[in-house]
């Protein structure tokens, strides 16, 4: 019996000691405060770069420049009127239709020129077709004006319908035209034409010419 009491007493003390140890461990764990972690994020630095725009000459319109090549490469139709000394003893007048194309700011080609002229009596007519080239000077007056010179070669037919001085006749011959003048604001022009053909009894004719370039 004494052994049983002793055993119970020892067992109770063991339980009491175990419970006390557990309570101390719990209190210790509760007393530990976790360290506060503070994260400070630096603000992102934004860099703004401003690039100054450089203005080139092509950003500004120019009266003397139709495009970046400084000439107009399109085909243009020229309508010309001329008046002066027709072949023979009488004055006359006429007109030309020309198809022109610029290949450089100083050079153009006249693919064809259809010419017609008559005297004031309408009894002597000349018609021809020619091809040639044209040269230009540098522009002046703010790009509004330039001089030109042209040369065209081809064929001409003369038709004499009769009258007081001539008998009816039709002739064919080589012909050329040399001209010079001034072109104004790319559309209007005026100048002088000298026309020559190899027909017997003809020779040269001189005209004042003005026209419009479409």
């Amino acid at each position: 019996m004494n052994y049983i009491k002793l055993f119970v007493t020892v067992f109770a003390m063991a339980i009491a000691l175990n419970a006390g140890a557990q309570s101390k461990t719990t209190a210790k764990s509760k007393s530990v405060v976790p360290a506060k972690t503070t994260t400070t994020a630096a603000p992102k630095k934004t860099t703004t770069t401003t690039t100054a725009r450089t203005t080139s000459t092509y950003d500004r319109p120019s009266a003397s420049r139709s495009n970046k090549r400084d000439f107009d490469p399109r085909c243009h139709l020229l309508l010309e009127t001329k008046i002066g000394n027709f072949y023979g003893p009488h004055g006359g007048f006429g007109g030309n239709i020309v198809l022109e194309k610029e290949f450089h700011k100083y050079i153009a080609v006249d693919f064809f020129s259809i010419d017609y002229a008559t005297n004031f009596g309408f009894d002597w007519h000349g018609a021809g077709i020619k091809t040639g080239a044209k040269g230009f000077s540098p522009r002046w007056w703010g790009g509004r004006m330039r001089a030109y010179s042209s040369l065209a070669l081809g064929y001409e037919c003369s038709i004499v319908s009769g009258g007081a001085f001539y008998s009816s006749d039709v002739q064919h011959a080589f012909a050329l035209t040399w001209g010079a003048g001034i072109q104004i604001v790319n559309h209007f022009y005026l100048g002088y034409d000298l026309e020559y053909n190899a027909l017997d009894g003809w020779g040269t004719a001189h005209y004042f010419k003005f026209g419009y370039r479409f």
Side-chain angles (χ1 to χ4, degrees):
M1 184 63 74
N2 292 330
Y3 292 106
I4 293 174
K5 290 180 179 181
L6 179 62
F7 176 78
V8 172
T9 301
V10 173
F11 182 76
M13 291 176 64
I15 291 175
L17 291 173
N18 186 34
Q22 288 182 355
S23 63
K24 288 181 180 181
T25 303
T26 304
K28 185 178 180 180
S29 62
K30 288 182 179 180
S31 63
V32 177
V33 179
K36 185 178 181 180
T37 303
T38 303
T39 303
T40 303
K44 184 178 179 181
K45 186 178 180 181
T46 303
T47 303
T48 303
T49 304
T50 303
T51 304
R53 182 175 182 269
T54 302
T55 303
S56 66
T57 55
Y58 293 123
D59 294 330
R60 297 187 296 268
S62 172
S64 62
R65 176 176 57 81
S66 58
N67 56 31
K68 294 182 180 180
R69 289 173 288 190
D70 200 26
F71 70 94
D72 188 349
R74 298 173 299 175
C75 289
H76 292 275
L77 187 67
L78 283 62
L79 298 182
E80 304 175 345
T81 300
K82 55 189 180 182
I83 185 169
N85 176 29
F86 184 66
Y87 300 105
H90 304 292
F93 65 97
N96 305 329
I97 301 175
V98 183
L99 182 64
E100 176 193 274
K101 179 177 175 62
E102 293 183 42
F103 289 92
H104 187 272
K105 63 181 178 179
Y106 298 133
I107 300 173
V109 172
D110 294 337
F111 288 116
F112 67 81
S113 172
I114 300 175
D115 307 338
Y116 170 78
T118 184
N119 61 1
F120 290 124
F122 295 100
D123 54 7
W124 197 340
H125 310 272
I129 182 167
K130 302 168 187 173
T131 184
K134 186 175 296 178
F136 298 100
S137 73
R139 294 178 181 269
W140 72 89
W141 195 22
R144 297 180 183 88
M145 298 181 67
R146 60 178 175 173
Y148 73 87
S149 179
S150 62
L151 178 66
L153 309 175
Y155 155 84
E156 186 160 313
C157 170
S158 70
I159 302 172
V160 180
S161 59
F165 302 98
Y166 314 108
S167 60
S168 299
D169 193 11
V170 177
Q171 300 184 46
H172 311 273
F174 165 80
L176 68 83
T177 299
W178 175 82
I182 296 175
Q183 186 182 82
I184 307 169
V185 294
N186 289 329
H187 294 291
F188 300 96
Y189 59 95
L190 53 90
Y192 160 79
D193 267 5
L194 181 149
E195 297 186 4
Y196 166 82
N197 67 52
L199 296 172
D200 293 338
W202 283 46
T204 58
H206 307 273
Y207 294 105
F208 169 74
K209 178 178 68 176
F210 58 93
Y212 186 84
R213 180 178 185 251
F214 290 91

